[in-house]
Amino acid sequence: MPELPEVETIKNDLTPQIVGRVFTDVKLSWPKAVRETAPDEFRSRLIGQTIVGLERRGKYLIFRLSGGEALILHLRMSGALLLRSPSDADGFVRTVFSLDNGQELRFSDVRKMGMIWLVKDVREVTDKLGPEPFDAAFTPQVMAQGLSKRSAPIKSVLMDQSFIAGLGNIYADEALFEAKIYPLKRAKELSHQDVKRLHKAIREVLDQAIAHRGTSISNYVDPAGQRGSNQYHLRLPRHEGSPCKVCNTPIQRLRLGGRSSYFCPRCQGNSELRR
DNA sequence: AACCTCACCTGCGGGC
DNA sequence: TGCCCGCAGGTGAGGT
């Protein structure tokens, strides 16, 4: 579910609350979420460690631990990370991390797709990720160079985490709408102007979403259980037939790799056809 | 290598 | 009302 802005919000909210805390217990009611490490070993290696820092890389949330290891979470489609008192009630809690101040960090995950790692080196998990969208090294020129080698639809490339880290279905659609680019346009066919607009649009769309604490279309919530508000500021309606906010043309939907892509046939018309 | 499809999970809402 | 189907913000495995 969460993309970069949602994970960034979670990281920002949790940092002042949990840095310095110690893991005192872990309960795994869906042990399959823990990758690469047996549940017993996971517990014994984690309990007693102090959280010394929190980071985000792409859609991964990274807890730096006093022993030099890192706890890494990925929320996938339906995950939420909640900071709660033991008496609070939450649904679909798959993992509970108890902290030394009596609070609980709860990994709630309806669809059980979320994943957890405990690693010595963060790169074991994040080494295939492409650049962060806000990294100074990720320039329009670098982006154009990468796109020039890709024949897949631009939407697919934007969702490819090894090309750029953090964009998912919603923000890829938003960026393409903002840049007025048809989602199925082949990446290598983008003009320099296209790439320039798209590069700018990616940062604008993500910046705005972070400012609004994420997009809660169905069930994203922050660590306090509160929804974000970016769903009220999306540029593109996520319903087929709804009017485009720019030109009133009915929004269309297409399927790409099993996902829905929404677009405005007028604002994002294939420039080859329009010419 | 790059690209595509499918599997992994569960719940919800729409159509019949 | 109840059932069936499609759909949901992601990724990695496996095939071409």
Side-chain angles (χ1 to χ4, degrees):
Chain A
M1 163 178 74
E3 304 178 42
L4 185 153
E6 289 75 32
V7 181
E8 180 72 12
T9 301
I10 292 169
K11 182 210 72 180
N12 290 339
D13 284 7
L14 282 182
T15 296
Q17 307 228 57
I18 65 164
V19 170
R21 299 276 63 78
V22 179
F23 287 113
T24 55
D25 195 13
V26 186
K27 289 191 179 64
L28 302 167
S29 50
W30 178 252
K32 268 179 81 174
V34 179
R35 320 303 281 200
E36 324 270 325
T37 309
D40 287 349
E41 188 195 335
F42 178 81
R43 283 173 45 84
S44 62
R45 272 166 57 192
L46 186 66
I47 293 172
Q49 295 225 47
T50 302
I51 301 165
V52 297
L54 205 50
E55 296 165 22
R56 178 194 59 72
R57 176 80 173 94
K59 303 172 192 172
Y60 294 84
L61 192 59
I62 301 163
F63 296 74
R64 298 282 181 181
L65 304 175
S66 48
E69 294 192 296
L71 173 72
I72 306 181
L73 303 186
H74 195 301
L75 305 179
R76 293 287 202 104
M77 292 290 271
S78 61
L81 204 54
L82 301 161
L83 189 61
R84 302 295 213 182
S85 299
S87 58
D88 292 331
D90 292 305
F92 310 107
V93 175
R94 312 297 184 193
T95 308
V96 178
F97 301 92
S98 301
L99 304 174
D100 65 339
N101 61 357
Q103 288 192 297
E104 292 180 353
L105 193 60
R106 299 174 176 173
F107 190 175
S108 169
D109 187 13
V110 171
R111 293 174 68 180
K112 300 179 175 174
M113 288 177 164
M115 303 200 292
I116 303 172
W117 296 261
L118 183 58
V119 294
K120 302 225 186 314
D121 187 339
V122 169
R123 286 174 296 185
E124 292 172 42
V125 176
T126 62
D127 63 342
K128 295 202 173 62
L129 291 180
E132 287 290 318
F134 294 108
D135 191 329
F138 182 69
T139 62
Q141 290 71 32
V142 166
M143 185 173 163
Q145 173 68 22
L147 292 179
S148 69
K149 299 178 211 130
R150 304 289 297 263
S151 62
I154 181 62
K155 168 95 185 265
S156 300
V157 178
L158 290 184
M159 305 229 317
D160 178 352
Q161 301 300 298
S162 70
F163 180 77
I164 179 170
L167 285 180
N169 202 34
I170 290 180
Y171 297 115
D173 275 0
E174 285 282 292
L176 288 169
F177 176 79
E178 177 69 21
K180 302 188 187 303
I181 297 169
Y182 180 56
L184 296 184
K185 189 162 184 172
R186 304 273 142 188
K188 59 165 67 165
E189 312 282 329
L190 265 64
S191 69
H192 278 296
Q193 284 308 309
D194 284 339
V195 176
K196 224 177 135 182
R197 289 199 315 279
L198 184 54
H199 182 274
K200 185 161 175 259
I202 288 168
R203 290 183 169 180
E204 285 178 359
V205 157
L206 295 176
D207 255 337
Q208 178 201 294
I210 293 167
H212 289 121
R213 303 183 49 78
T215 303
S216 296
I217 285 179
S218 54
N219 51 31
Y220 163 73
V221 290
D222 68 19
Q226 303 295 307
R227 291 159 61 85
S229 62
N230 196 55
Q231 63 275 20
Y232 305 119
H233 304 277
L234 293 177
R235 291 152 171 78
L236 180 66
R238 302 196 68 73
H239 291 286
E240 205 167 13
S242 291
C244 171
K245 292 183 186 179
V246 172
C247 72
N248 240 28
T249 302
I251 294 300
Q252 291 183 13
R253 181 176 83 111
L254 58 82
R255 299 290 287 180
L256 215 194
R259 323 296 304 280
S260 288
S261 294
Y262 296 91
F263 68 102
C264 172
R266 181 159 174 202
C267 295
Q268 298 169 265
N270 187 332
S271 62
E272 298 300 316
L273 300 177
R274 256 189 296 158
R275 213 173 277 145

